[in-house]
């Protein structure tokens, strides 16, 4: 199995980095983006594929 660096996701994010002129924050987690509660009631932050803060752009 390949690594994340060899994935289609990494390729597309790399292209977006070039077009936007900014390097994405990959697997970024926002406080407000959380999963469903588990059996213990805790909710985990969910990562997005890429976030470009300068453009306020998220790709999932």
């Amino acid at each position: 199995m390949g690594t994340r660096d060899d994935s289609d996701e990494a390729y597309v994010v790399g292209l977006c980095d070039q077009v936007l002129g900014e390097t994405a924050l990959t697997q970024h987690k926002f406080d407000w983006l959380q999963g469903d509660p588990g059996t213990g009631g805790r909710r985990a932050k969910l990562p997005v594929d890429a976030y470009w803060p300068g453009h306020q752009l998220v790709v999932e």
Side-chain angles (χ1 to χ4, degrees):
M1 185 170 189
T3 64
R4 182 176 288 272
D5 292 339
D6 297 332
S7 69
D8 292 342
E9 175 186 321
Y11 174 72
V12 171
V13 170
L15 289 176
C16 292
D17 285 348
Q18 289 178 19
V19 169
L20 296 172
E22 180 182 3
T23 301
L25 301 175
T26 57
Q27 299 302 301
H28 183 74
K29 295 179 182 180
F30 294 95
D31 290 336
W32 51 266
L33 182 59
Q34 298 182 357
D36 294 334
T39 55
R42 292 191 54 189
R43 296 172 66 134
K45 292 181 190 176
L46 301 175
V48 295
D49 291 335
Y51 171 52
W52 292 268
H55 296 279
Q56 297 183 350
L57 176 66
V58 172
V59 170
E60 179 54 39

